[in-house]
Amino acid sequence: MKVLIIGYGNMGKTYANSFIGSRFIKPEDIFVLVRNDFSSIETVIPKSNFSILPSEKIGDFDIVILAVKPQDFSVMAASIKPFLHDEQIIFSVMAGITLKSLESQLSCSKVVRCMPNIPTQIGMGMTVFSASANVDRKELFIIQNLINTTGKSVYVENENLINAATAISGSGPAYVFFFMNAMIKAAVDLGFNESEAELLVNQTFMGSVAIQNSYSLSNEEWIKKVASKGGTTESALQVFEKGMLKDVIVNSVKAANNRAIELGK
């Protein structure tokens, strides 16, 4: 199986490294076409032995991964459309570009659209993906195996859920970092130095996720285990409830979802 990655930014490099690191695809079968030069294709690894191919060779690849910025899609589509054929799987990681737009501008019927998040860079990512009707089960299985080299994935038939995934798992790491920063500030205010505060908070987050994944208890049950009646945790949770923090978080995620919908129009 030969894979062409168009665009070699963070996501392009992540996929190339993950495919190779998992031994799912041989290094010599992964090629890159860079955004500022759609006329040549170069092998990713080894860097000391780049192989330049004419753009007509685009049609030789089984899977073409589109990893350029959404605003570059139209120019890229016009450049590669003449060389694509209907048996290839087009795999897009571009935010906001719909399956319908991909099919229309590329004249291809086997199209997959996904929303990964930043932890894919360390193999801990979460990706939600959807596909056009002409992508069969075997092809979906291959695509999911490729995605899973970067973490975990969920397939959805309803493409609209890609926008929801953008708001939840795509933007989600920033929400976590925001909360962590607030806790670090609180720790410093209480007397810890910066490095101590970061260690306290980082390890707390890592440990909490790890123990939550280790047992079949709900988040509510874990909260009850930590928050004893009349204790310190309960005092903090009461402040959360008084400030309607849960509603703030839900409304924030919905705002991100609405923005994802707007960007896709």
Side-chain angles (χ1 to χ4, degrees), residues 78-89:
S79 300
I80 69 172
K81 180 180 176 180
F83 311 111
L84 298 171
H85 60 79
D86 219 33
E87 291 305 307
Q88 291 174 295
I89 299 174

Side-chain angles (χ1 to χ4, degrees), residues 43-262:
T43 53
V44 180
I45 293 177
K47 293 185 180 297
S48 59
N49 187 30
F50 274 64
S51 175
I52 309 300
L53 302 175
S55 53
E56 299 86 67
K57 293 290 185 178
I58 290 175
D60 293 346
F61 294 90
D62 302 294
I63 298 173
V64 179
I65 298 177
L66 309 181
V68 300
K69 294 178 180 178
Q71 57 265 36
D72 295 324
F73 173 58
S74 294
V75 172
M76 177 199 65
S79 300
I80 69 172
K81 180 180 176 180
F83 311 111
L84 298 171
H85 60 79
D86 219 33
E87 291 305 307
Q88 291 174 295
I89 299 174
I90 308 300
F91 178 82
S92 170
V93 297
M94 298 179 294
I97 308 297
T98 64
L99 292 173
K100 183 177 180 181
S101 295
L102 290 163
E103 290 175 313
S104 173
Q105 293 196 52
L106 296 172
S107 294
C108 289
S109 62
K110 294 186 178 183
V111 180
V112 176
R113 178 187 171 197
C114 78
M115 170 48 60
N117 65 7
I118 200 166
T120 56
Q121 295 180 19
I122 59 167
M124 293 289 289
M126 183 67 237
T127 299
V128 176
F129 70 106
S130 190
S132 59
N134 286 333
V135 179
D136 63 34
R137 287 183 178 274
K138 181 181 177 182
E139 290 165 334
L140 275 178
F141 180 73
I142 291 170
I143 291 297
Q144 187 154 32
N145 280 339
L146 285 173
I147 293 172
N148 286 350
T149 65
T150 67
K152 294 186 178 182
S153 63
V154 171
Y155 170 73
V156 293
E157 290 189 7
N158 180 1
E159 186 189 358
N160 291 331
L161 288 175
I162 296 289
N163 291 323
T166 303
I168 298 291
S169 56
S171 300
Y175 313 154
V176 175
F177 303 144
F178 185 94
F179 199 90
M180 290 176 74
N181 264 345
M183 286 184 65
I184 289 169
K185 182 182 184 305
V188 171
D189 288 348
L190 291 172
F192 290 101
N193 64 42
E194 193 77 26
S195 61
E196 291 169 338
E198 288 182 5
L199 177 61
L200 278 168
V201 174
N202 291 354
Q203 188 61 25
T204 298
F205 269 76
M206 289 174 61
S208 299
V209 171
I211 198 169
Q212 198 268 355
N213 286 333
S214 299
Y215 299 92
S216 57
L217 296 177
S218 67
N219 289 323
E220 288 77 12
E221 288 172 317
W222 279 116
I223 290 171
K224 289 178 182 177
K225 278 183 172 293
V226 179
S228 56
K229 190 71 175 175
T232 58
T233 308
E234 187 180 66
S235 295
L237 293 175
Q238 287 172 351
V239 175
F240 289 169
E241 290 172 3
K242 187 176 180 180
M244 302 179 70
L245 181 58
K246 185 182 292 186
D247 291 339
V248 169
I249 293 171
V250 170
N251 291 334
S252 298
V253 172
K254 287 180 178 178
N257 179 65
N258 291 338
R259 182 58 177 157
I261 294 170
E262 289 173 5

